[in-house]
Amino acid sequence: MANISESETIGAATTERYKYGFVTDIESDTAPKGLDESTVRFISAKKDEPDWLLQWRLKAFRQWLDKADEEPTWAKVNYPKIDYQDSYYYSAPKQQETLNSLDEVDPKLLETYNKLGIPLQEQMMLAGVAVDAVFDSVSVATTFKEELSKHGVIFCPISEAVQKHPELVKKYLGSVVPVADNFFATLNSAVFTDGSFVYVPEGVRCPMELSTYFRINAAQTGQFERTLIIADKGSYVSYLEGCTAPMRDEHQLHAAVVELIALDDAEIKYSTVQNWYPGDENGKGGIYNFVTKRGACRGRNSKISWTQVETGSAITWKYPSCILQGDNSVGEFYSIAITNNFQQADTGTKMIHMGKDTKSRIISKGISAGHAESTYRGLVKVMPGATGARNFTQCDSLLIGEKCGAHTVPYIEVRNKTAQVEHEATTSKISDDQLLYCRQRGLSAEDATTLIVNGFCRQVLQELPMEFAVEAQKLVGISLEGSVG
Amino acid sequence: MTVMLEIKDLHAAVNGKEVLKGINLTINAGEVHAVMGPNGSGKSTLSYVLAGRDGYDVTQGSVMYKGADLIALAPEIRAREGIFLAFQYPVEIPGVAGTTFLKTAYNAIRKHRGEKELDAMQFLKLIREKQKQLDMTDEMVRRAVNVGFSGGEKKRYEMLQMAMLEPALAILDETDSGLDIDALKTVADGINALRDPGRAMLMITHYQRLLDYVVPDFVHVLAGGKIVRSGDKSLALDLEKEGYAVLGTAAA
Ligand SMILES: Nc1ncnc2c1ncn2[C@@H]1O[C@H](COP(=O)(O)OP(=O)(O)OP(=O)(O)O)[C@@H](O)[C@H]1O
Ligand SMILES: [Mg+2]
């Protein structure tokens, strides 16, 4: 991997996307506006799904109807009521208008790409500039694909997995996030259209970061994404979703479901960089990101690690969680949530200890600037059988300016006396002394803030795959632009 | 002789309270000036006013640096123009590696001067040289800025920064406080190594022992927000013997 240059990697991603059908059939039409049973049937038919999956979707849809009054209101976020009938649930992907050169791209977008240090060819990809044959990607792509299949790793769109690996999908889909789990997850189960599927067979260490592919694909992320990752016994996989480049989307509501399953001695590392359009500096527009992410450490000695950098979206509602079923299993949650202007984030995690000697670790860093509100909401639950369970939680909030807020809402439920649960929380501000110290050394106030915030986030940043850590640091700075006077 | 800094009738208020009450001081390139004076007399305030700290307002008088008005400049511009303040109480910046911090600063200053920024390798080579002179280990330099540093280590880290940033005007606020005898010698050597015809220094100190090593060209006594006495190095020796009482009631 190390000898593959950046541009080749991107080339590979382009081709892979095509190969794996990340671009769905252009000829497909649009389902009529609104949501009823026929919409669900339409989606299923378009995807040529087996009957069991159609029935699964229909069941979800009926449950969603019953839940009509159950749209969650407990989170500390405010938004106008969503009209679910005023939306399209299936539409043909619009052929993206291809531009001929970077000169035609919105200069503001390019400015951001440059600040992030995204290589030129990748910028072209992201901005939709026609990628010519400058990089011969086919051979590299083939190498990647061969490499994965040599190890028996399956990595494809979930709709393809439904066709080619129905037994795996049927066995695991909805096994971590049940259809009835919550309003948004139920809606997703009825109407999901895309997402990824990963299966790593027993004893296999996935030979590459699956981020390598995903980086470009992320620009195409759908409204109701569904991701399913299974790490069989003794396997390891690291997966990264998202993109540091800012993403706009015509859909305001995004309700994804991600399910992870780790069997005995398996490890899944799932990293997210979320940079959806947050709305303008007055709080207009912006994506609502209501996501259900959950991992099951089903096997003994298994481990699931969530790392997230949340800088985008107008509203984020997200609690990547771990169900620690296997004895001696480990759950980790590392989070950076940055909110600026009028953004709202209610995020955190749930660690459910069921097996013996299970361990969890939560490191949450919330940064609020402008008028933003950020809430950490976390649950640590130790079930009666979880003898010897241990949790460590550290929640740090950093406030920039006077008008923002940070809130910490920890729930702790312990039903086994041998459990040890530790919780630490701090709230701080960037001090005048720190700012002066940096500025006295020649840093601008903005650069000083970025540096200090990156220092504050270090424990989490260092959990990210290397190639994204650098960009994520720059992203921190960009997200806070305009927050210091 | 080139005038580096010219302070005329400087009055400054902190949070609305007047602390500096008419300071006059001229420092030429190549000179080392020591400023002494009782606690609370305004020494650190003077250093903050020169650095441009928010809330330290000049209410009267002027400060010219390299022939231009200093007060109008933002703190970071002053720094990039060559003013360096070694803080009396250096602050901690958790999570930010000392090398990262210093490289960011170093390159910000180089960029301002129209020089090429150094890459990580070049920078590490440079910092290694300087840290050796100050008896600092790699481990210390890589640690988060000032976090967990002893008092003496913080002061040495300030000196390392000064050596790296090569300022035109260095203001050292009690850099000798908290240093053991060996460290004092090391730091003094570091300061002496930077003495240069093109560079001026303003050393705030309470003790003669620093001045034994770094012999000043001038010594000033600040009391009640004013310079009440100026002289050569012998003034410091007099003060050492007799305390500030030598100045009479005016200083108290
Ligand atoms: N933020 C502030 N608010 C109010 N008063 C202040 C503030 N900062 C400094 N002062 C006052 O200004 C005066 C001068 O303080 P300064 O720190 O400059 O003294 P100093 O000469 O450096 O003393 P030391 O030798 O103890 O370091 C003191 O009376 C101090 O209380
Ligand atoms: Mg002082």
Side-chain angles (χ1 to χ4, degrees):
Chain A
M1 275 289 290
N3 56 355
I4 292 167
S5 78
E6 184 99 23
S7 63
E8 287 172 319
T9 312
I10 294 137
T14 328
T15 323
E16 278 324 293
R17 175 174 60 174
Y18 173 70
K19 269 194 176 145
Y20 287 130
F22 271 101
V23 174
T24 35
D25 184 5
I26 304 295
E27 285 170 337
S28 58
D29 359 84
T30 302
K33 212 180 209 181
L35 183 54
D36 59 21
E37 245 186 66
S38 69
T39 323
V40 177
R41 287 180 189 279
F42 181 90
I43 293 169
S44 191
K46 274 287 167 198
K47 303 240 157 216
D48 201 14
E49 287 175 350
D51 188 57
W52 66 264
L53 190 52
L54 172 64
Q55 296 310 322
W56 193 82
R57 285 179 182 274
L58 288 172
K59 195 175 113 198
F61 178 69
R62 284 168 204 138
Q63 290 190 10
W64 184 73
L65 287 181
D66 291 341
K67 281 177 193 274
D69 303 330
E70 291 177 29
E71 189 170 339
T73 52
W74 42 264
K76 198 172 161 39
V77 294
N78 287 306
Y79 57 94
K81 205 158 167 48
I82 299 168
D83 182 354
Y84 293 92
Q85 296 306 332
D86 187 32
S87 212
Y88 293 99
Y89 290 83
Y90 188 90
S91 64
K94 279 198 210 83
Q95 181 121 48
Q96 212 176 2
E97 207 183 326
T98 313
L99 308 174
N100 292 315
S101 79
L102 276 180
D103 299 342
E104 298 173 30
V105 177
D106 179 359
K108 250 190 137 161
L109 198 63
L110 290 182
E111 197 185 305
T112 312
Y113 290 166
N114 284 326
K115 281 183 196 159
L116 284 165
I118 294 175
L120 205 65
Q121 279 170 330
E122 206 161 332
Q123 293 191 13
M124 296 167 91
M125 287 297 312
L126 291 165
V129 174
V131 182
D132 55 31
V134 175
F135 29 88
D136 169 28
S137 50
V138 180
S139 57
V140 187
T142 312
T143 317
F144 273 12
K145 200 170 156 62
E146 274 174 6
E147 184 75 5
L148 282 181
S149 67
K150 198 168 79 193
H151 291 83
V153 175
I154 303 167
F155 178 37
C156 64
I158 195 151
S159 45
E160 188 182 317
V162 168
Q163 305 298 336
K164 292 194 178 159
H165 309 281
E167 69 301 336
L168 285 172
V169 178
K170 199 170 176 179
K171 181 167 175 191
Y172 291 108
L173 187 73
S175 75
V176 187
V177 179
V179 166
D181 192 78
N182 69 71
F183 184 84
F184 296 115
T186 308
L187 175 61
N188 175 291
S189 301
V191 299
F192 74 88
T193 47
D194 39 37
S196 302
F197 176 85
V198 178
Y199 172 77
V200 189
E202 192 169 337
V204 169
R205 194 179 166 86
C206 186
M208 63 189 76
E209 294 269 353
L210 291 184
S211 55
T212 318
Y213 292 99
F214 210 77
R215 181 166 176 129
I216 300 299
N217 296 335
Q220 307 269 314
T221 309
Q223 189 180 10
F224 298 102
E225 234 188 316
R226 185 99 197 181
T227 296
L228 179 58
I229 300 178
I230 303 136
D232 213 326
K233 290 177 186 171
S235 68
Y236 169 83
V237 62
S238 166
Y239 182 95
L240 187 135
E241 73 166 335
C243 193
T244 49
M247 289 192 282
R248 281 172 188 269
D249 192 280
E250 64 206 272
H251 301 294
Q252 191 166 38
L253 171 67
H254 281 246
V257 171
V258 175
E259 296 178 279
L260 311 183
I261 296 114
L263 302 182
D264 287 357
D265 303 301
E267 178 174 349
I268 302 175
K269 188 172 166 58
Y270 191 105
S271 313
T272 306
V273 175
Q274 186 267 113
N275 192 15
W276 292 108
Y277 181 56
D280 66 15
E281 58 278 8
N282 300 314
K284 273 187 76 171
I287 304 277
Y288 299 168
N289 193 28
F290 300 152
V291 181
T292 306
K293 288 185 165 172
R294 196 172 303 155
C297 281
R298 247 170 231 171
R300 59 181 164 73
N301 304 325
S302 56
K303 178 174 175 182
I304 289 179
S305 193
W306 298 99
T307 305
Q308 59 173 29
V309 179
E310 301 282 323
T311 66
S313 296
I315 303 174
T316 301
W317 178 99
K318 180 179 170 186
Y319 316 90
S321 306
C322 296
I323 304 168
L324 304 170
Q325 292 165 290
D327 288 351
N328 212 33
S329 59
V330 177
E332 292 178 337
F333 174 74
Y334 297 96
S335 170
I336 297 171
I338 300 179
T339 47
N340 196 359
N341 297 321
F342 286 87
Q343 282 179 278
Q344 308 171 55
D346 194 305
T347 183
T349 186
K350 284 187 263 182
M351 293 290 174
I352 316 290
H353 292 257
M354 298 170 77
K356 290 191 185 63
D357 299 315
T358 45
K359 288 179 264 318
S360 62
R361 182 176 163 83
I362 299 169
I363 308 286
S364 161
K365 305 279 180 177
I367 298 113
S368 311
H371 292 80
E373 292 287 333
S374 169
T375 302
Y376 168 82
R377 190 182 301 276
L379 168 69
V380 175
K381 190 170 183 173
V382 179
M383 305 298 275
T387 304
R390 292 220 307 267
N391 160 267
F392 174 75
T393 300
Q394 182 186 332
C395 278
D396 298 321
S397 309
L398 186 68
L399 303 176
I400 301 173
E402 307 295 328
K403 296 183 185 111
C404 54
H407 317 272
T408 301
V409 191
Y411 304 90
I412 299 171
E413 231 184 286
V414 178
R415 290 199 253 152
N416 183 306
K417 281 193 188 125
T418 63
Q420 289 176 35
V421 177
E422 274 178 82
H423 180 95
E424 289 175 7
T426 65
T427 300
S428 52
K429 288 192 157 218
I430 293 183
S431 73
D432 291 348
D433 285 332
Q434 285 174 324
L435 271 182
L436 175 70
Y437 192 71
C438 294
R439 295 177 77 186
Q440 210 306 299
R441 299 301 184 245
L443 277 64
S444 67
E446 277 198 354
D447 289 348
T449 305
T450 301
L451 191 79
I452 295 166
V453 172
N454 270 312
F456 174 77
C457 298
R458 209 177 83 95
Q459 271 175 297
V460 176
L461 287 172
Q462 68 192 11
E463 293 297 324
L464 283 176
M466 264 296 275
E467 49 179 319
F468 284 91
V470 175
E471 274 181 30
Q473 281 185 35
K474 292 183 184 152
L475 180 59
V476 165
I478 292 169
S479 313
L480 291 170
E481 261 172 22
S483 64
V484 275
Chain B
M1 228 182 291
T2 353
V3 178
M4 186 69 79
L5 185 72
E6 190 174 28
I7 303 175
K8 278 191 182 154
D9 189 32
L10 175 67
H11 290 248
V14 186
N15 287 338
K17 175 190 160 191
E18 186 170 63
V19 177
L20 301 184
K21 300 171 180 168
I23 291 189
N24 291 288
L25 178 63
T26 300
I27 302 181
N28 296 308
E31 293 175 353
V32 173
H33 290 237
V35 172
M36 306 180 81
N39 295 135
S41 57
K43 302 182 297 298
S44 293
T45 303
L46 174 61
S47 73
Y48 286 144
V49 168
L50 295 177
R53 178 167 200 153
D54 279 347
Y56 286 65
D57 303 317
V58 172
T59 51
Q60 196 181 314
S62 67
V63 181
M64 303 294 278
Y65 170 67
K66 290 181 177 170
D69 177 23
L70 180 70
I71 301 308
L73 304 179
E76 59 269 33
I77 306 298
R78 299 182 194 199
R80 293 174 199 166
E81 287 288 338
I83 292 185
F84 179 90
L85 169 61
F87 287 78
Q88 184 175 1
Y89 305 108
V91 297
E92 300 185 357
I93 310 180
V96 178
T99 37
T100 308
F101 176 68
L102 202 40
K103 181 166 164 261
T104 313
Y106 187 83
N107 281 333
I109 290 172
R110 278 183 78 100
K111 199 170 160 194
H112 183 76
R113 292 184 189 151
E115 294 165 0
K116 210 169 161 279
E117 297 177 31
L118 289 195
D119 65 30
M121 292 306 291
Q122 296 167 312
F123 180 80
L124 279 179
K125 201 167 156 253
L126 189 65
I127 202 171
R128 284 247 163 80
E129 272 167 40
K130 308 278 184 188
Q131 83 193 40
K132 248 209 321 264
Q133 292 166 8
L134 285 159
D135 248 346
M136 295 183 76
T137 60
D138 279 3
E139 188 274 330
M140 257 168 88
V141 175
R142 272 200 309 263
R143 242 194 267 169
V145 177
N146 290 316
V147 175
F149 279 19
S150 73
E153 286 168 346
K154 283 184 184 167
K155 298 301 172 77
R156 260 188 287 167
Y157 185 56
E158 295 291 288
M159 288 303 97
L160 174 65
Q161 296 180 54
M162 178 169 83
M164 290 293 293
L165 302 180
E166 301 185 317
L169 172 65
I171 304 157
L172 313 184
D173 192 355
E174 295 198 26
T175 298
D176 54 334
S177 300
L179 293 180
D180 66 38
I181 299 159
D182 293 341
L184 180 69
K185 180 85 176 59
T186 311
V187 164
D189 288 346
I191 298 173
N192 281 326
L194 285 176
R195 280 183 92 147
D196 183 280
R199 180 172 291 132
M201 296 191 193
L202 180 67
M203 291 194 305
I204 297 168
T205 183
H206 286 294
Y207 306 107
Q208 172 61 35
R209 50 175 205 161
L210 174 67
L211 306 182
D212 287 340
Y213 292 115
V214 185
V215 182
D217 300 301
F218 299 94
V219 175
H220 311 277
V221 178
L222 188 63
K226 281 185 188 167
I227 291 179
V228 294
R229 184 80 70 87
S230 293
D232 61 12
K233 60 185 180 182
S234 64
L235 174 57
L237 289 166
D238 293 347
L239 289 172
E240 176 90 345
K241 267 191 244 123
E242 305 181 28
Y244 292 113
V246 77
L247 304 168
T249 43

